[in-house]
Amino acid sequence: LGSEHFDESQIKSDPKYLVPNFMSEEESNVIAEDPRAVILVAEDNEAMRYFIHSCFKDDYKIIMAENGKEALALAREHIPDVVITDLMMPLMDGNELSAAMRKDEITSHIFQIMLTAKAEAEGMKLGYENGVNYYLTKPFDPEILKIQVANILSGRENYKKRVLSANALGIQK
């Protein structure tokens, strides 16, 4: 729709919303034109990053980042539906990424799944406090990860339909 339907006070021009583009313009256009849900994979291990990509590539658009800092910029740029992040990454780890996303009004609503080799309760507690929705310990069953993502997206779609239906009926909640 563009920005014509907004007044000046509703348009963000603050420099904190301007982020570097880690993807080519051509890659960004391909993602923008694809109607499928978007998953952002933040994983510093290349083999694991591509393994996760292979699990979802047929059903979803996949954006990949090598670290949390890159993932945060991509999340702000592309507003993915789900972020799958590793805990241990350079520059910004998974907990820092989750906390930063929850504090940012652009990304605060995005569902997050944390993958980690650390299974202790304190680490999981910290992740949940930082905004992680689901935790999976490595090694993980890729089918469980796929089901979690499908459930997240199904729940979001049902919520959207419910809100749109309520709005169409003039019901206010």
Side-chain angles (χ1 to χ4, degrees):
L1 295 174
S3 60
E4 290 78 33
H5 59 285
F6 294 108
D7 58 74
E8 287 297 317
S9 67
Q10 295 174 306
I11 298 175
K12 295 281 186 199
S13 59
D14 189 323
K16 76 177 182 181
Y17 294 104
L18 303 175
V19 296
N21 186 356
F22 293 100
M23 304 178 98
S24 70
E25 185 175 338
E26 183 178 310
E27 289 171 316
S28 291
N29 290 339
V30 167
I31 288 170
E33 293 170 6
D34 189 335
R36 297 178 296 165
V38 177
I39 298 173
L40 170 57
V41 177
E43 168 66 65
D44 62 322
N45 180 290
E46 184 176 22
M48 180 61 74
R49 194 169 55 247
Y50 283 97
F51 172 72
I52 296 168
H53 176 273
S54 72
C55 292
F56 293 102
K57 67 183 170 85
D58 293 334
D59 299 311
Y60 306 103
K61 295 180 280 187
I62 310 298
I63 303 170
M64 297 191 293
E66 296 179 6
N67 60 64
K69 187 174 181 180
E70 181 182 353
L72 182 59
L74 289 170
R76 287 175 175 156
E77 181 180 351
H78 295 285
I79 319 297
D81 298 285
V82 178
V83 171
I84 300 171
T85 181
D86 186 24
L87 174 61
M88 302 300 291
M89 294 184 293
L91 302 181
M92 178 185 281
D93 70 24
N95 279 324
E96 293 168 325
L97 171 61
S98 294
M101 287 178 60
R102 289 296 179 237
K103 290 176 185 168
D104 187 326
E105 70 181 53
I106 295 173
T107 60
S108 63
H109 68 285
I110 299 171
F111 281 85
Q112 301 174 37
I113 299 173
M114 178 81 72
L115 303 176
T116 182
K118 294 183 173 187
E120 79 280 352
E122 280 302 310
M124 290 176 70
K125 181 181 172 193
L126 179 60
Y128 286 126
E129 288 172 348
N130 284 318
V132 171
N133 298 96
Y134 294 102
Y135 237 95
L136 271 180
T137 55
K138 294 178 183 176
F140 62 90
D141 181 338
E143 292 304 312
I144 291 176
L145 181 59
K146 288 179 182 181
I147 291 168
Q148 285 181 332
V149 168
N151 286 346
I152 288 168
L153 296 173
S154 173
R156 283 185 63 157
E157 192 59 34
N158 289 339
Y159 179 75
K160 281 185 205 175
K161 287 177 184 175
R162 189 170 160 216
V163 168
L164 290 174
S165 174
N167 286 344
L169 296 173
I171 300 170
Q172 293 189 4
K173 301 238 173 192

